[in-house]
Amino acid sequence: MRGWGELYRTSVGLGARYLVHHGYLREAVIRMVVPLDPSRYLELPETLMELAARPGERVLDLASPKLLAVVLARHGADVTSVDQLEPEIDSWRKLTTGEPRLAFQVGDGRSLPFADASFDHAYSISVLEHIPEPGDEEALRQLARIVRPGGRVVVTLPYARTYREDWRDAPVYVDQGQAGARHFFQRWYDQTRVDRLAAAAPDLRLVSSSVSRMEPNLNELYTRTFPWLVPLGPAFGLLARRVEGPDGDVIRLTFTRT
């Protein structure tokens, strides 16, 4: 696994700085105890590389793990991170006080509060799958709208050979108003569903994609045994390798705005 070291160090550094100077904050503790979930060893470095954002460029993050926004800002990009979860925004504003190129804003990815073509690039890591129908397609069209022609849009999604959906007894992130019924959690995209999503945003042209997994599949093991493997955090990046192929569980899509 490559490219995760800076992200890992940034996470630990954010948590340690806050705890030393300000005291307890739950997100600060998480930054130190779980700097990267296993799947983020795949998604974050690859998205950083695919965006290829240059200093001074404007980048929108739609509800991704916020760590990448911090790294992009420290590389010189002007980053705006939008999330529907107000507590998440509040925590990260506290964690990143003093980061001059980074802004956080509460917003819904299905109706982004920005003008057309107001960003150079945009990304969304493991987010669209959590938006109920037809929200994933609406959000992708919004990303296309706010990115300038020639800019890049990168998204990652959970992938499976056969499409399926996960439902829960209670809402996990945002209550979508499904009282008295099971609550939608996420969808696993197969190739047909990926093609449908891409076709929903005609202003985007798909230029590359990859399906990959960690080998050994530490993401599956981590999820099944949580929290017992938390102390092995750095081992995920050191021991696992990235394997591409149709049996992967993460798909990355890179678009350009036409």
Side-chain angles (χ1 to χ4, degrees):
M1 303 288 292
R2 297 180 179 179
W4 58 271
E6 180 184 11
L7 292 153
Y8 194 97
R9 292 191 300 271
T10 300
S11 180
V12 173
L14 284 172
R17 183 181 68 180
Y18 190 92
L19 292 171
V20 168
H21 294 288
H22 304 286
Y24 176 79
L25 179 69
R26 181 175 181 272
E27 188 61 42
V29 175
I30 292 173
R31 289 302 96 224
M32 298 189 67
V33 176
V34 192
L36 293 174
D37 288 330
S39 65
R40 307 311 182 211
Y41 287 90
L42 290 173
E43 296 170 296
L44 270 62
E46 190 170 359
T47 299
L48 180 63
M49 180 182 68
E50 288 292 313
L51 275 176
R54 297 190 297 268
E57 289 190 317
R58 302 155 299 169
V59 178
L60 177 78
D61 158 40
L62 174 56
S64 308
K66 306 298 181 284
L67 191 58
L68 183 55
V70 178
V71 170
L72 282 164
R74 290 182 177 181
H75 286 186
D78 292 312
V79 185
T80 300
S81 181
V82 173
D83 202 301
Q84 198 172 358
L85 301 176
E86 293 188 35
E88 182 88 351
I89 292 295
D90 289 342
S91 293
W92 278 91
R93 281 175 175 160
K94 294 175 182 176
L95 271 179
T96 58
T97 298
E99 299 283 349
R101 293 184 173 273
L102 182 58
F104 292 97
Q105 184 169 335
V106 176
D108 189 330
R110 294 165 292 188
S111 181
L112 291 171
F114 305 108
D116 296 357
S118 53
F119 291 88
D120 295 293
H121 312 294
Y123 68 94
S124 189
I125 298 172
S126 191
V127 173
L128 302 189
E129 69 270 18
H130 296 296
I131 309 176
E133 297 268 15
D136 56 341
E137 297 175 3
E138 294 171 347
L140 187 61
R141 285 193 291 270
Q142 284 289 298
L143 293 177
R145 180 184 65 79
I146 58 92
V147 169
R148 63 166 173 81
R152 290 176 290 281
V153 174
V154 181
V155 300
T156 70
L157 307 161
Y159 185 82
R161 283 185 175 269
T162 303
Y163 176 83
R164 70 178 189 270
E165 295 180 353
D166 293 339
W167 293 73
R168 302 290 173 86
D169 292 331
V172 176
Y173 297 119
V174 177
D175 189 346
Q176 304 290 346
Q178 296 169 283
R182 301 201 75 198
H183 294 258
F184 176 75
F185 176 60
Q186 69 175 355
R187 60 182 67 83
W188 291 75
Y189 292 77
D190 61 4
Q191 191 56 54
T192 299
R193 193 59 184 247
V194 168
D195 293 341
R196 170 179 155 177
L197 176 65
D203 290 332
L204 294 178
R205 179 170 63 91
L206 182 63
V207 293
S208 71
S209 66
S210 69
V211 177
S212 61
R213 71 181 191 278
M214 298 178 74
E215 184 62 42
N217 196 335
L218 298 174
N219 188 37
E220 180 180 348
L221 182 63
Y222 176 86
T223 301
R224 191 169 63 245
T225 62
F226 184 85
W228 304 111
L229 295 185
V230 165
L232 299 181
F236 298 135
L238 294 171
L239 300 179
R241 61 191 179 95
R242 179 179 181 274
V243 176
E244 287 196 33
D247 292 324
D249 54 16
V250 174
I251 187 167
R252 185 266 308 156
L253 306 172
T254 301
F255 301 90
T256 56
R257 175 68 160 83
T258 59

